[in-house]
Amino acid sequence: MQGKGLITLVAVVLGLICLNELLPTWYASKIENQATQIAGTDPVKYQKEMERLSKDTLNLGFTKLYYSRAKEREMKLGLDLKGGINALLEINQRDLINDLTNYSTNPILLETLDQTDKVQKNSTKSYIENFFVVFDEVNKAKGANLKLADPEIFGNTNLGEIKFNSTDEQVKNIVRRKISASEGSAYEVIRTRIDKMGVTQPNVQRVPGTGRISVEMPGIKDVDRVKKMLSTSAKLQFWEVQQPQEILPYFEQLNTVIAAKGDSIGVAKGTNLINLLQLSTLRSNGVGNIKLSDTAAVNKILNSTIAKKIRPANVKYTQFMWGYKPDANDQNNLVLYAIRGNINQKAPVDGAVESARVNYDELGRVVVDMQMDSKGAKDWKTLTGKNVNKPVAVTLDNVVYTAPNVVNEIPNGRTQISGNFSQQEAQDLVDVLGAGKLPASAKVVQMDVVGPSLGKASIDAGMLSFFIAFIVLLSYIIFYYGGAGIYAVIAMVINLFYIFGIMDSVDATLTLPGIAGIVLSMAMAVDTNVIIYERTKEELFAGKHILEAYKDGFKHALSAIIDGHSTTILTAIVLYVFGTGPIKGFAVTLIIGILMTFFTSVLLSRVMIFQRLNKGKHLSVWTPPTKNLFRYTWIDFIGKRKFAYMISLFLTVASLISIAVNGFKYGIDFTGGRNYVVKFDKPVDVDKVENGLIKLFATEDGKNSAVEAKTIGTGNQLKISTDYLIDDESLKADQTIEEKLFQGLKQYLPANMTLQEFKQADKDHAGIISSAKVGPTVADDIKTHGTLAVIAALGGIFIYILFRFSKWQFSLGAVAGLFHDAVIILGTYSLLHKYMPFNMEINQDFIAAILTVLGYSINDTVIVFDRIREYLREKKALTLAGLFDDSISSTLGRTFNTSFTTILVILAIFIFGGDNLRGFMFALLIGIGFGTYSSIFISSAIAYDCLKEKGKEDHVHVKGRTTTDRETTDKKKKA
């Protein structure tokens, strides 16, 4: 065989690389298992054992293994396998534009920004691109003829590159570069903060073109701390504080208005603002001391259009800010401050921090000492000099940490921040300030939290399903193909080794969907071997010598294998481009798996097989029970196509009716909202839980938010979804929902359970074991990308089939079959989503399942089409129908074996793979079944009808295996 030396060399080199990459994972796991065996469940003893064992080294001759180094290089596990937090941060590009325009108050600019905010909610374009479009529209509508290079827009000292005569296109390019650079700075700041948190194997990536940063932190438990560290912009500012006597007249006037019109802004009519402010208990230079339960109502009032319209001159630019957290002596109230603003809301001191450290004041309280840079020190001196014996507020991200009276001018830029800190909070603040400030504010627009106990359960379930599926595959292929099957098994084991090694070398993260991708790659490897061996069997039945039969088997199978692999890779690429998080992981493992399947099952397997055959040794390609299976099977598929059309039409119409009547259960990926998976000590009444939470999750205007509770897996585990506070992506909103959820479920939880224990459940107690949050803007992006992914996959497959088969009839048949499969899956989900005890939401995972099914279905279709194309070239004509029946019947062995093994694999994952994968696998089960059916009865039948309609039935001269031929063959068999 030509090139066998090169293939062997590549296999050996690839194997050594994979071995080198996987050894650290093996060694780190070995050390940790030894420590666990000695320490048991004692965490202190485990830590001591790890310190002792990690000093050991393993010298393998060609390399030395150290635990600390091995731990850094071990294979990354996704959150669904290890537990942890995955967050998507969005940098506020409006803030960046304000900074680049030097906080200009030009009315055209302000209107453009306001309109861009609205457009952005339903757009997949970046903020800055929408800004440019809206600017042109507003500029034209106002007849302003304003250029982007105008000094009141971007032509200021902040952007010295822009000249008075710069064109709009030149300015746009400069602004795009600046925005990108700012996002890059934000990425570096976030990465530095995470490093300071001591996270093992964090993954921080920019999401190009979106102003977003993806952060993955395996093993982290304290969600609130992470949210604060990520979203705090470290925008440290110093402001003058307005006193109660300045603000009180405004509050009294506003109180009169609210008493009459409160219901129009979402608070109860008759609400008394003065009572809510509790002016008799004022403290810390604030203008209100509000109960925590009333802060939402006060926010609604102060931010309402009515409140802003009646502001007097001295309050026109006032910013109302809350204190950092309740005072230690007044835990139920939060101080409201009135910050003296200005037209562009620039702080008198916007200080960059040179250094910060944790310290203690004279009363032993934890404080943060800070030294400003030279500019900040100069501005600080001016501000303190103007406000001796008056209060000055220290704010971080528009939250007041302290607002003391200035005793005297501070000339050296040193100051102290106090805020009722714990030691950890003070250290986190120091870390945030030390890492530098973000160029703009950031918010967490999407977050997934997986508890460590669920991560451990996922590993166990994933590995069990993987092991069972793998054993099923190996056993079946040896049973069916005998000696040749053993070589297929060897190739598959090598394939598996290569997949894990390459994933580790490219720093890919292994997720639960990734394991599913690997298992499906193994199924594709089976398919590859089946195609080769079925063709080899045909050559042997034709009377060829075994060596010649194998040569022709590999030769004739190659075209179908390339087409099948290409369409699957095309689908995986679409998944990677449009997917996020775990879906990308699934796509990556599938792409690696398909490429390695081709190398091992086609190239390497061929080298091994011919090495044996060239020595004159025999290699069977069947076993006694399987030798003649499907050999004499011939079915008049084309003659039965109209009956199949009727069945498919009925199923399609039924699916469409179900979709119209029942609709879908959309996941928060598509609608926005929050999901919580909560574990209880014993089964609970789902309806009772849901009704209780609906009453609890009511907005200030008395309207109930959508709440759904559903059993997931066992009866003591619920998935609770809500759109309560869907537009509020702040940390405070997250905490509010978690507190309400805790109160609503308290009666079903163990006695004396605290909120903190509820939020961090582990295997020993009940509580939240995973959660997810998707903001409405992100949800809209995901929905759009999901739709585009399906359209792109269908379009790509149509073009590929047209290119490979040179007939639009084949492309039309293929896409019609895929459409048929997709509609039936959608109809099934629409019909059953209320009844199944596992997740049947339309979400990212579902889109991935649909695209996987399309990839599998087209692979099956391509095998049949490839045989039709071959017969069109080689056989002389009687009828086109006979040729199609011949082609489909001759591939039945491959169709059965591939579909049967794939369904067995998916069933193994469905049964043993855990709750997280059941919805995904259910879609695949339906899809594989109908995909096999549609390849024969829809795709092939439509291609036949279209060719026949063009007159091919009468003019294409092919020799099909007609009923007469079959009878002749049967007589010869009997003789």
Side-chain angles (χ1 to χ4, degrees):
M1 172 191 165
Q2 291 182 345
K4 69 176 182 179
L6 178 61
I7 293 169
T8 304
L9 178 64
V10 170
V12 171
V13 171
L14 197 56
L16 291 174
I17 292 171
C18 292
L19 180 65
N20 183 61
E21 292 296 333
L22 292 174
L23 275 174
T25 301
W26 166 79
Y27 185 69
S29 178
K30 173 177 173 287
I31 294 293
E32 290 165 2
N33 288 337
Q34 286 179 353
T36 302
Q37 288 173 4
I38 297 169
T41 57
D42 186 341
V44 176
K45 191 175 181 182
Y46 175 83
Q47 194 59 41
K48 288 181 179 178
E49 288 300 322
M50 284 301 301
E51 290 174 5
R52 180 180 67 82
L53 291 169
S54 61
K55 295 175 183 176
D56 296 339
T57 61
L58 180 62
N59 191 343
L60 297 175
F62 61 92
T63 185
K64 280 187 178 180
L65 294 173
Y66 304 83
Y67 174 77
S68 56
R69 176 64 177 148
K71 191 67 180 172
E72 291 174 3
R73 292 180 56 203
E74 75 173 347
M75 178 174 282
K76 289 183 177 179
L77 296 180
L79 302 187
D80 47 7
L81 293 177
K82 195 172 183 179
I85 297 171
N86 186 357
L88 188 65
L89 292 175
E90 187 170 83
I91 305 301
N92 190 326
Q93 292 198 18
R94 176 168 181 154
D95 286 359
L96 295 178
I97 293 173
N98 276 328
D99 185 59
L100 292 175
T101 60
N102 203 20
Y103 293 87
S104 170
T105 56
N106 182 283
I108 300 292
L109 174 66
L110 296 179
E111 185 174 340
T112 299
L113 288 169
D114 289 340
Q115 288 195 27
T116 305
D117 288 343
K118 295 175 183 176
V119 169
Q120 191 65 24
K121 289 181 179 179
N122 299 303
S123 172
T124 56
K125 290 183 180 179
S126 67
Y127 189 95
I128 190 61
E129 296 305 326
N130 283 324
F131 171 85
F132 290 142
V133 172
V134 174
F135 178 84
D136 290 340
E137 291 172 355
V138 173
N139 204 11
K140 186 177 180 180
K142 300 288 185 182
N145 200 28
L146 197 63
K147 290 183 63 182
L148 290 173
D150 190 280
E152 290 192 356
I153 310 298
F154 292 112
N156 57 70
T157 54
N158 285 354
L159 288 169
E161 306 165 59
I162 296 176
K163 310 300 179 188
F164 73 94
N165 58 349
S166 296
T167 65
D168 279 1
E169 200 55 45
Q170 289 172 329
V171 174
K172 287 177 182 179
N173 289 331
I174 293 170
V175 171
R176 287 186 187 109
R177 285 200 305 271
K178 289 289 185 181
I179 294 276
S180 180
S182 296
E183 290 170 0
S185 299
Y187 164 79
E188 293 298 334
V189 170
I190 293 295
R191 194 174 64 174
T192 304
R193 290 182 188 177
I194 292 170
D195 288 342
K196 288 178 179 290
M197 291 179 71
V199 180
T200 304
Q201 291 186 325
N203 185 16
V204 187
Q205 295 180 332
R206 291 177 65 181
V207 183
T210 63
R212 293 171 183 161
I213 298 170
S214 173
V215 179
E216 193 170 275
M217 292 160 285
I220 289 292
K221 297 179 183 179
D222 193 340
V223 181
D224 289 346
R225 182 185 172 213
V226 168
K227 289 177 181 176
K228 286 178 184 175
M229 289 290 282
L230 293 180
S231 58
T232 299
S233 71
K235 186 170 67 175
L236 190 68
Q237 297 177 321
F238 300 80
W239 302 84
E240 294 180 353
V241 179
Q242 292 179 268
Q243 294 298 286
Q245 57 269 25
E246 296 179 69
I247 305 297
L248 189 56
Y250 166 62
F251 282 162
E252 289 173 340
Q253 182 186 1
L254 182 57
N255 190 48
T256 305
V257 175
I258 297 303
K261 300 182 179 179
D263 54 348
S264 66
I265 62 169
V267 297
K269 196 171 183 179
T271 297
N272 192 309
L273 177 61
I274 302 299
N275 290 344
L276 294 179
L277 295 170
Q278 300 187 97
L279 298 175
S280 60
T281 64
L282 288 181
R283 59 175 68 227
S284 307
N285 291 316
V287 293
N289 191 40
I290 293 99
K291 289 180 181 178
L292 291 173
S293 57
D294 291 332
T295 54
V298 171
N299 272 334
K300 281 215 163 192
I301 293 170
L302 295 179
N303 293 325
S304 66
T305 305
I306 295 173
K308 291 176 180 177
K309 279 184 178 179
I310 65 169
R311 283 191 176 196
N314 70 321
V315 187
K316 185 175 182 181
Y317 300 114
T318 297
Q319 299 181 70
F320 291 102
M321 297 184 188
W322 294 102
Y324 166 62
K325 69 179 192 179
D327 188 273
N329 299 318
D330 192 7
Q331 291 287 339
N332 296 319
N333 294 316
L334 198 61
V335 176
L336 178 70
Y337 294 90
I339 303 300
R340 192 183 305 282
N342 47 58
I343 189 170
N344 57 12
Q345 297 297 8
K346 285 192 72 175
V349 181
D350 197 343
V353 179
E354 272 191 353
S355 63
R357 64 189 180 93
V358 178
N359 208 341
Y360 301 90
D361 64 11
E362 62 278 3
L363 298 176
R365 295 173 300 189
V366 179
V367 296
V368 174
D369 282 339
M370 189 192 69
Q371 174 64 51
M372 297 181 188
D373 61 13
S374 56
K375 183 180 183 306
K378 183 178 177 182
D379 293 339
W380 183 229
K381 178 181 178 181
T382 303
L383 181 63
T384 52
K386 278 175 57 182
N387 289 277
V388 173
N389 297 322
K390 296 178 183 177
V392 170
V394 181
T395 71
L396 188 71
D397 295 341
N398 298 323
V399 172
V400 178
Y401 276 71
T402 183
N405 287 321
V406 176
V407 178
N408 47 48
E409 181 185 276
I410 303 174
N412 54 14
R414 290 182 181 174
T415 190
Q416 191 176 81
I417 307 174
S418 60
N420 188 23
F421 295 122
S422 67
Q423 185 77 27
Q424 182 66 66
E425 288 170 335
Q427 186 58 53
D428 285 348
L429 179 57
V430 168
D431 289 343
V432 165
L433 294 174
K437 70 176 182 178
L438 290 172
S441 60
K443 59 183 177 181
V444 179
V445 293
Q446 183 178 354
M447 176 168 278
D448 293 301
V449 181
V450 179
S453 61
L454 185 60
K456 177 68 168 59
S458 295
I459 289 179
D460 294 341
M463 294 313 295
L464 177 63
S465 68
F466 180 83
F467 178 76
I468 292 173
F470 196 59
I471 293 299
V472 166
L473 282 176
L474 301 191
S475 302
Y476 183 82
I477 201 166
I478 292 174
F479 161 75
Y480 201 93
Y481 292 110
I486 293 174
Y487 279 89
V489 167
I490 294 170
M492 287 170 67
V493 171
I494 296 172
N495 185 10
L496 191 63
F497 176 67
Y498 284 164
I499 290 173
F500 281 112
I502 291 172
M503 285 186 66
D504 203 1
S505 66
V506 300
D507 218 20
T509 301
L510 181 64
T511 62
L512 207 55
I515 290 177
I518 293 172
V519 175
L520 283 174
S521 297
M522 294 297 101
M524 287 293 294
V526 171
D527 181 48
T528 301
N529 286 292
V530 166
I531 295 170
I532 293 169
Y533 295 158
E534 288 297 318
R535 292 307 297 251
T536 302
K537 284 169 70 175
E538 289 178 23
E539 303 302 329
L540 285 170
F541 290 142
K544 292 184 179 178
H545 182 267
I546 189 166
L547 184 62
E548 196 66 28
Y550 269 104
K551 283 182 180 177
D552 287 346
F554 274 97
K555 176 184 174 183
H556 294 313
L558 188 61
S559 174
I561 291 170
I562 289 174
D563 286 335
H565 281 53
S566 298
T567 50
T568 305
I569 285 180
L570 177 65
T571 305
I573 289 172
V574 170
L575 274 174
Y576 182 81
V577 171
F578 293 101
T580 59
I583 303 307
K584 279 187 183 290
F586 174 78
V588 168
T589 52
L590 192 57
I591 290 170
I592 294 172
I594 295 301
L595 293 175
M596 287 302 98
T597 291
F598 186 85
F599 177 74
T600 55
S601 296
V602 177
L603 302 179
L604 189 58
S605 177
R606 180 179 177 126
V607 169
M608 292 188 293
I609 286 172
F610 281 99
Q611 198 168 29
R612 177 184 176 88
L613 293 175
N614 287 331
K615 292 178 181 178
K617 296 180 180 179
H618 183 73
L619 186 63
S620 66
V621 75
W622 56 62
T623 59
T626 62
K627 179 178 179 179
N628 292 313
L629 276 180
F630 303 107
R631 180 178 177 184
Y632 300 111
T633 303
W634 189 94
I635 299 172
D636 184 13
F637 289 106
I638 295 301
K640 295 176 173 59
R641 73 188 187 284
K642 292 180 180 178
F643 179 69
Y645 283 164
M646 291 171 64
I647 294 174
S648 292
L649 181 63
F650 172 77
L651 291 173
T652 302
V653 171
S655 296
L656 293 172
I657 291 172
S658 178
I659 292 168
V661 174
N662 298 319
F664 299 110
K665 168 59 181 159
Y666 289 102
I668 62 169
D669 293 4
F670 283 9
T671 61
R674 293 170 174 85
N675 275 343
Y676 300 90
V677 177
V678 183
K679 182 177 73 175
F680 301 89
D681 289 339
K682 55 188 177 182
V684 294
D685 187 324
V686 180
D687 293 333
K688 193 175 177 183
V689 169
E690 185 176 296
N691 292 332
L693 291 175
I694 287 173
K695 295 173 185 175
L696 199 60
F697 285 109
T699 55
E700 283 83 358
D701 58 4
K703 293 181 180 177
N704 292 329
S705 298
V707 178
E708 183 189 65
K710 183 174 182 178
T711 302
I712 294 292
T714 58
N716 68 330
Q717 195 167 283
L718 296 185
K719 181 178 183 181
I720 298 168
S721 306
T722 179
D723 63 358
Y724 181 64
L725 299 181
I726 187 174
D727 292 316
D728 191 341
E729 294 162 342
S730 67
L731 172 60
K732 185 175 178 58
D734 294 339
Q735 292 171 334
T736 300
I737 293 172
E738 287 164 352
E739 287 167 7
K740 284 181 176 287
L741 189 63
F742 177 60
Q743 292 301 322
L745 300 176
K746 204 167 187 178
Q747 59 182 306
Y748 310 105
L749 298 168
N752 303 320
M753 173 175 272
T754 65
L755 174 61
Q756 199 60 29
E757 289 172 336
F758 172 71
K759 289 164 66 173
Q760 296 181 12
D762 59 33
K763 62 182 180 181
D764 297 323
H765 67 73
I768 298 173
I769 57 176
S770 74
S771 64
K773 174 179 104 171
V774 179
T777 306
V778 176
D780 189 69
D781 290 352
I782 291 171
K783 195 191 312 180
T784 303
H785 287 160
T787 305
L788 289 174
V790 175
I791 293 172
L794 289 173
I797 287 168
F798 183 93
I799 293 169
Y800 182 84
I801 298 296
L802 184 63
F803 170 76
R804 286 292 289 162
F805 293 93
S806 305
K807 294 183 186 297
W808 65 264
Q809 292 90 345
F810 286 121
S811 291
L812 179 63
V815 172
L818 299 182
F819 177 78
H820 165 273
D821 300 338
V823 169
I824 289 178
I825 296 173
L826 287 166
T828 305
Y829 265 59
S830 170
L831 190 64
L832 300 179
H833 71 80
K834 296 177 183 177
Y835 310 107
M836 288 296 186
F838 50 82
N839 183 20
M840 291 191 72
E841 295 176 345
I842 305 298
N843 54 21
Q844 285 190 92
D845 289 350
F846 178 80
I847 294 296
I850 284 282
L851 289 174
T852 304
V853 166
L854 297 187
Y856 178 88
S857 181
I858 195 63
N859 182 49
D860 207 21
T861 303
V862 160
I863 301 301
V864 178
F865 283 2
D866 185 76
R867 187 61 63 94
I868 293 171
R869 177 177 56 185
E870 180 184 332
Y871 283 6
L872 278 169
R873 286 197 304 260
E874 296 178 0
K875 291 202 171 186
K876 294 183 179 179
L878 280 180
T879 64
L880 186 63
L883 182 140
F884 268 72
D885 285 335
D886 261 15
S887 302
I888 300 169
S889 296
S890 65
T891 57
L892 278 180
R894 176 265 163 200
T895 300
F896 172 81
N897 281 325
T898 300
S899 300
F900 180 67
T901 52
T902 304
I903 287 173
L904 282 179
V905 166
I906 294 170
L907 268 175
I909 304 175
F910 179 79
I911 295 169
F912 301 104
D915 298 327
N916 288 355
L917 279 177
R918 286 211 171 94
F920 184 84
M921 288 298 137
F922 185 72
L924 292 186
L925 272 176
I926 301 167
I928 298 304
F930 279 101
T932 304
Y933 163 84
S934 68
S935 297
I936 296 170
F937 289 106
I938 302 300
S939 300
S940 299
I942 287 178
Y944 165 78
D945 279 327
C946 290
L947 285 168
K948 186 187 70 170
E949 289 300 321
K950 289 178 69 83
K952 299 291 183 184
E953 178 68 32
D954 297 325
H955 296 100
V956 175
H957 297 294
V958 291
K959 184 172 189 282
R961 192 171 175 216
T962 62
T963 304
T964 306
D965 296 327
R966 183 160 51 104
E967 289 172 353
T968 305
T969 303
D970 290 342
K971 287 177 183 177
K972 288 180 179 178
K973 268 174 55 185
K974 289 175 182 176

